[in-house]
Amino acid sequence: MVAAGGAGREPDEAAHRAVAAEAGPRQTWAALPWLVRTAVVWSACLVVIAAGLYLLARITLLVTPLAIALAATFFLAALLDPVQLALRRLRLPASLAALLTVLLLLGILGGLGVLVWNLTANQFSELGDELQQGLGRTRDFITSTLPVTDQQLDGLIDQLRKTATEQEVDPVASARTLTEVFGSALLALVLLFFLIKDGRAMWHWTLRRMTGPNREVAAEAGRVGWRTLGSYTRGTMLIAAIDAIGIGLALVLLGVPLAFPLALITFIGGFVPIIGATVAGAVAVLVALAANGPTTALLTLAAVIAVQQIEGNLLEPLVMKRQVRLHPVVILLAVTAGTLIAGIAGAFVAVPIAAVAWRVIDSVLRQRQAAAAPRPAPPAPEEPSATADPAPG
C-alpha cells in the first residue's frame, strides 16, 4: 500500500512541478513594472521592423536598376494619368492612348534638352573667362575680409586639386554604370507603356483574387495610395516649376550666366524637398559669386531665399493637399535614409514612398477601426395601438 500510495503521489508531484514551471515565467513577467513590460514589447517590435526593413534594403540594393525603373515608372504613370484619361475620353484605344502619352513625355524631355543646349552652347565659351575673373575677385574678397593669407589659400587650393586628380576613374565601372542607367531608362519606358495601358486591369485582377473584407480594405488602400502619389507628383512638379521660373528670372535680371541651366537644376532639385532646393540655390549663388562677384552673389542669395519662402509659406499649402504633406522631420529622415540606401535616386523617391506608405497605413487602420466599432442596434418595431385598424386579411 505504501508503494501504491507513492505511485499515486508521483503523478501529482509531476503535475505540480509542471504547473510551477509554467507559472514561473508568467509570475516573473507579471511582477515586472508595466513600464518595463511596455518597453520590452515595443523594443521587440522595433527590432522585427528594423530587421525587415534591412532585409528589404539589401534586396533592393541587389536589384537597384530594377528598383529605380519601377519607382520611375510609378511616378511617371501617376503624373501622366490625367493625360491618359483625357485621351481615353476621346474614344481612343488603350494601346494608342498609352503610346501617345509616352511619346508626349519623350517629346517634352527631348524639347527641354534641345532648348538647354541652344541657350547655353554660346555661353560656355564666354563662361571660362568670366569664371576666371570672378575667381580672382572672390580670392581678393576672401583674403581682405577673412583672416586667410594668400599662401594658406594657395595651399588649400593645391590640396583640393591634388585630391581630385588622385582619384582614379575605373573605365569598366563607368561603362557598367552607364549601361545600367540606359537599361533602367529603357525598361522604365516599356513598363510605363504597359502600366498606362493595363494598370487598372491588373489591379482589378489582383482584387478579384482576394476574398472577404480584405478585398474592400485593399481596394480602398490602393485608391488612397494612387491618389496620394498622383497628387504628390503633380504638386511637387508645379512647385518646382514655380521655383525654377522665379529663380531663373532673378538670375536673368542680375546678369548671371547660365541662368537657364541653373533654373533647370532648381526644377530638378525641387523633387527632393528641403535638401534639393538648398543645394540648387547654393549652386546658383556660387556661379554668381565666381562670375559677377560678391555683390551679385548676395543679391542672388536674397532672391533664392525670397522665392523659397514664398513657395514654402504660400504656394505649398495651396498646391499640396493636407493629406499629402509630411512633417519636415519626417521629410529629412526619409531623404537621409533614401540617400544612404540608394544614393541620389533614393533621395528622389524616399519622400513620395513615405507619403504613400503613411496614407495607405492610415487608410487600413481607419477601416479596421470602423469594422471593429460596435454598430447601433436597429430600433425596435412599434407595437400596434389598440385603436389601430386591423391588418387586412
Side-chain angles (χ1 to χ4, degrees):
M1 295 181 61
V2 175
R9 285 194 300 271
E10 288 180 359
D12 296 339
E13 294 178 357
H16 179 72
R17 285 195 297 270
V19 172
E22 184 178 357
R26 293 181 179 180
Q27 292 177 353
T28 303
W29 175 258
L32 294 174
W34 68 270
L35 184 60
V36 176
R37 294 199 301 268
T38 304
V40 169
V41 172
W42 278 105
S43 299
C45 294
L46 289 177
V47 168
V48 173
I49 293 174
L53 292 177
Y54 176 77
L55 291 177
L56 181 61
R58 296 295 298 178
I59 295 173
T60 303
L61 287 177
L62 294 176
V63 291
T64 300
L66 177 60
I68 294 175
L70 286 175
T73 300
F74 278 103
F75 296 149
L76 292 175
L79 178 64
L80 299 173
D81 191 50
V83 178
Q84 181 264 151
L85 292 177
L87 293 176
R88 291 302 305 274
R89 293 191 189 99
L90 299 177
R91 303 298 180 89
L92 294 180
S95 301
L96 182 58
L99 180 60
L100 291 178
T101 304
V102 174
L103 291 178
L104 176 63
L105 174 65
L106 293 177
I108 293 175
L109 294 178
L112 284 176
V114 173
L115 182 61
V116 169
W117 176 257
N118 290 334
L119 292 178
T120 59
N122 297 328
Q123 297 183 10
F124 277 110
S125 59
E126 303 174 358
L127 184 62
D129 298 334
E130 294 181 356
L131 289 179
Q132 193 68 26
Q133 297 174 4
L135 289 176
R137 292 193 298 266
T138 304
R139 177 191 181 90
D140 297 337
F141 175 77
I142 292 175
T143 54
S144 62
T145 305
L146 301 177
V148 179
T149 62
D150 292 336
Q151 292 77 12
Q152 292 175 342
L153 190 59
D154 290 336
L156 179 60
I157 294 175
D158 292 338
Q159 184 65 31
L160 293 175
R161 186 183 294 112
K162 185 184 297 182
T163 302
T165 55
E166 286 178 354
Q167 295 179 353
E168 297 181 356
V169 179
D170 188 0
V172 177
S174 301
R176 183 177 60 187
T177 302
L178 184 61
T179 304
E180 290 180 354
V181 171
F182 180 76
S184 298
L186 184 59
L187 179 60
L189 287 177
V190 176
L191 292 177
L192 177 62
F193 170 78
F194 285 107
L195 186 60
I196 293 176
K197 175 179 174 290
D198 300 324
R200 285 178 170 79
M202 290 187 289
W203 176 244
H204 293 156
W205 180 88
T206 303
L207 291 178
R208 286 195 297 269
R209 298 303 180 271
M210 298 181 181
T211 57
N214 292 330
R215 177 184 296 178
E216 295 298 329
V217 173
E220 180 62 23
R223 285 192 292 267
V224 169
W226 186 250
R227 286 198 300 265
T228 301
L229 182 60
S231 300
Y232 180 90
T233 306
R234 290 187 289 271
T236 302
M237 188 185 70
L238 180 59
I239 292 175
I242 294 174
D243 281 350
I245 293 173
I247 294 177
L249 289 176
L251 295 177
V252 171
L253 294 177
L254 293 173
V256 178
L258 299 178
F260 191 82
L262 292 175
L264 184 61
I265 293 175
T266 303
F267 175 75
I268 297 174
F271 287 89
V272 183
I274 300 177
I275 297 178
T278 303
V279 173
V283 172
V285 172
L286 289 177
V287 173
L289 176 64
N292 296 347
T295 303
T296 305
L298 291 176
L299 293 176
T300 303
L301 178 61
V304 169
I305 293 176
V307 170
Q308 291 182 356
Q309 288 300 315
I310 294 174
E311 172 260 314
N313 297 322
L314 180 61
L315 294 178
E316 186 174 357
L318 294 176
V319 175
M320 303 291 282
K321 297 181 180 179
R322 180 178 297 273
Q323 62 267 24
V324 179
R325 300 175 63 191
L326 296 175
H327 195 275
V329 174
V330 178
I331 293 175
L332 288 175
L333 292 177
V335 171
T336 304
T339 305
L340 294 176
I341 293 174
I344 298 177
F348 276 95
V349 303
V351 178
I353 288 177
V356 172
W358 165 246
R359 290 296 300 159
V360 168
I361 293 173
D362 182 66
S363 174
V364 172
L365 292 178
R366 289 177 182 273
Q367 292 186 76
R368 299 285 187 187
Q369 292 174 358
R375 298 180 179 179
E382 297 182 359
E383 295 183 357
S385 174
T387 60
D389 296 336

